[in-house]
């Protein structure tokens, strides 16, 4: 009945992650994804790591709900990992949350090594054409269409997708600037504090300092590495199919660490070619990765949540 117990109710009922997604939507520009819809495929390819890790965790004799909770770490999206774990494997909440946020913070250290290993200097030096200007009506229609599509195909993804798109509508409508600023600043900061306190309070030594936790941390890094690698490899395929007009580095941004992964891609591209400006191109797969990880979460909840 204490303060932490009350705050933890928000984790159990899945309240905090959608509110964080609301703030993320309010601070995210979907323009690069709308301008280049093909980048959605790069974001989808980066989710391969989630499903491969799910199979690997199941092969290591984790229960299927536990395997799904561990695999979702590969999306590099802390709120999504917490949302899935709180519904499927609440006993693993502390190690999975710590792993998810740790690997999000380590994006600038992990991703460059994988991207450099899988691409050539020539590929990293490709300068992409400037994206077209996105109209205001496109920005308003996009979140509505995505919410409707995901709601019809995977209803379990709506708590995250719906909150993300509603936050973006607050940003793009032009008449709710005060609400948009509140969502992307005060609201997301307060909810993050509540979430951190609630999850941290579950990290008891008896349940956290175990071999199982070590396995979760190892599988988490594998999931994240596989997600990055699959995004880059699909980027290389897109480069070939586009006859060298797509820089495969942008595939690394398909994980949902927004905008950190896109900044890593920008830094890598510019180090090879000072005239290279990949940030906005990488934001397309990066935003698609947020949507993709939420859809993956919805699939796991639909299949295993009952």
């Amino acid at each position: 009945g204490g303060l932490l117990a009350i705050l933890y109710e928000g984790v159990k009922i899945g309240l905090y992650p959608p509110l964080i997604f609301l703030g993320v939507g309010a601070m995210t520009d979907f323009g690069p994804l709308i301008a280049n819809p093909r980048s959605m495929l790069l974001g989808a390819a980066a989710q391969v790591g989630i499903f491969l890790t799910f199979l690997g965790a199941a092969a290591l004799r984790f229960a299927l709900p536990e395997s799904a909770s561990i695999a979702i770490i590969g999306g590099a999206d802390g709120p999504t990992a917490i949302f899935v774990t709180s519904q499927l494997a609440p006993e693993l909440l502390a190690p999975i949350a710590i792993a998810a946020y740790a690997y999000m913070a380590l994006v600038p250290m992990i991703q460059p090594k994988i991207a450099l290993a899988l691409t050539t200097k020539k590929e990293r030096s490709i300068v992409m054409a400037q994206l077209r200007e996105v109209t205001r009506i496109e920005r308003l229609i996009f979140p509505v269409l995505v919410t409707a599509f995901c709601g019809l195909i995977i209803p379990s993804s709506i708590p995250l997708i719906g909150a993300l798109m509603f936050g973006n509508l607050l940003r793009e409508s032009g008449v709710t600037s005060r609400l948009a600023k509140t969502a992307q600043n005060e609201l997301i900061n307060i909810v993050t504090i509540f979430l951190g306190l609630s999850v941290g309070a579950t990290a008891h030594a008896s349940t956290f300092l175990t071999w199982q936790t070590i396995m979760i941390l190892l599988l988490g890094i594998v999931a994240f590495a596989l997600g990055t690698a699959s995004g880059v490899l699909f980027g290389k395929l897109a480069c070939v199919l586009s006859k060298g007009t797509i820089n495969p580095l942008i595939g690394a941004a398909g994980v949902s660490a927004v905008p950190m992964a896109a900044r890593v891609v920008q830094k890598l591209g510019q180090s090879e070619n000072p005239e290279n400006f990949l940030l906005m191109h990488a934001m397309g797969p990066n935003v698609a990765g947020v949507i993709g990880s939420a859809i993956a979460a919805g699939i796991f909840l639909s299949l295993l949540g009952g």
Side-chain angles (χ1 to χ4, degrees):
L3 175 61
L4 290 177
I6 294 171
L7 292 180
Y8 190 72
E9 290 298 316
V11 176
K12 288 202 296 186
I13 63 176
L15 174 65
Y16 298 143
L19 290 178
I20 291 178
F21 263 62
L22 176 66
V24 171
M27 66 174 68
T28 303
D29 181 9
F30 287 174
L33 178 58
I34 300 171
N36 183 17
R38 292 179 298 177
S39 60
M40 179 73 78
L41 298 175
L42 294 172
Q47 309 313 310
V48 170
I50 293 176
F51 295 101
L52 290 178
T53 305
F54 171 71
L55 297 175
L60 291 173
R61 298 180 182 270
F62 281 95
L64 292 183
E66 294 176 344
S67 299
S69 301
I70 295 168
I72 208 71
I73 297 173
D77 193 330
T80 304
I82 290 172
F83 185 75
V84 172
T85 306
S86 66
Q87 306 299 312
L88 297 182
E91 70 280 2
L92 300 181
L93 188 59
I96 286 176
I98 290 171
Y101 278 101
Y103 297 139
M104 285 174 63
L106 291 174
V107 163
M109 295 178 60
I110 299 172
Q111 281 202 312
K113 294 178 176 58
I114 298 172
L116 290 173
L118 295 177
T119 57
T120 65
K121 180 177 178 62
K122 181 180 178 181
E123 290 172 333
R124 296 192 294 271
S125 301
I126 294 174
V127 177
M128 296 181 65
Q130 185 174 353
L131 294 171
R132 69 175 179 85
E133 190 71 25
V134 178
T135 65
R136 186 164 178 267
I137 190 67
E138 287 177 300
R139 293 178 179 273
L140 292 173
I141 291 175
F142 180 78
V144 176
L145 288 179
V146 171
T147 304
F149 177 79
C150 293
L152 290 172
I153 303 301
I154 309 171
S156 299
S157 68
I158 284 300
L160 296 177
I161 293 290
L164 179 73
M165 296 304 160
F166 177 64
N168 190 252
L169 272 178
L170 292 179
R171 169 194 174 98
E172 301 295 352
S173 67
V175 294
T176 55
S177 58
R178 184 167 59 88
L179 296 179
K181 289 178 181 177
T182 299
Q184 64 187 262
N185 292 294
E186 291 85 357
L187 178 63
I188 197 170
N189 290 335
I190 291 170
V191 174
T192 300
I193 291 172
F194 287 173
L195 183 62
L197 287 172
S198 304
V199 173
T202 68
H204 304 295
S206 59
T207 57
F208 184 74
L209 300 177
T210 63
W211 285 109
Q212 185 185 53
T213 298
I214 295 174
M215 288 295 296
I216 290 171
L217 294 174
L218 291 175
L219 285 169
I221 190 68
V222 168
F224 178 66
L226 286 174
T228 301
S230 58
V232 173
L233 291 174
F234 194 87
K236 288 173 71 74
L237 175 61
C239 178
V240 172
L241 295 177
S242 66
K243 298 180 181 179
T245 60
I246 293 178
N247 191 314
L249 284 177
I250 67 173
V255 296
S256 15
V258 178
M260 199 181 306
R263 289 173 179 167
V264 168
V265 169
Q266 162 67 13
K267 186 176 180 180
L268 285 174
Q270 209 155 49
S271 66
E272 298 291 353
N273 183 351
E275 297 180 3
N276 219 349
F277 191 78
L278 296 175
L279 182 61
M280 296 312 294
H281 295 284
M283 279 302 296
N286 211 182
V287 173
V290 178
I291 299 172
S293 65
I295 291 174
I299 291 173
F300 285 140
L301 291 173
S302 297
L303 296 177
L304 304 173

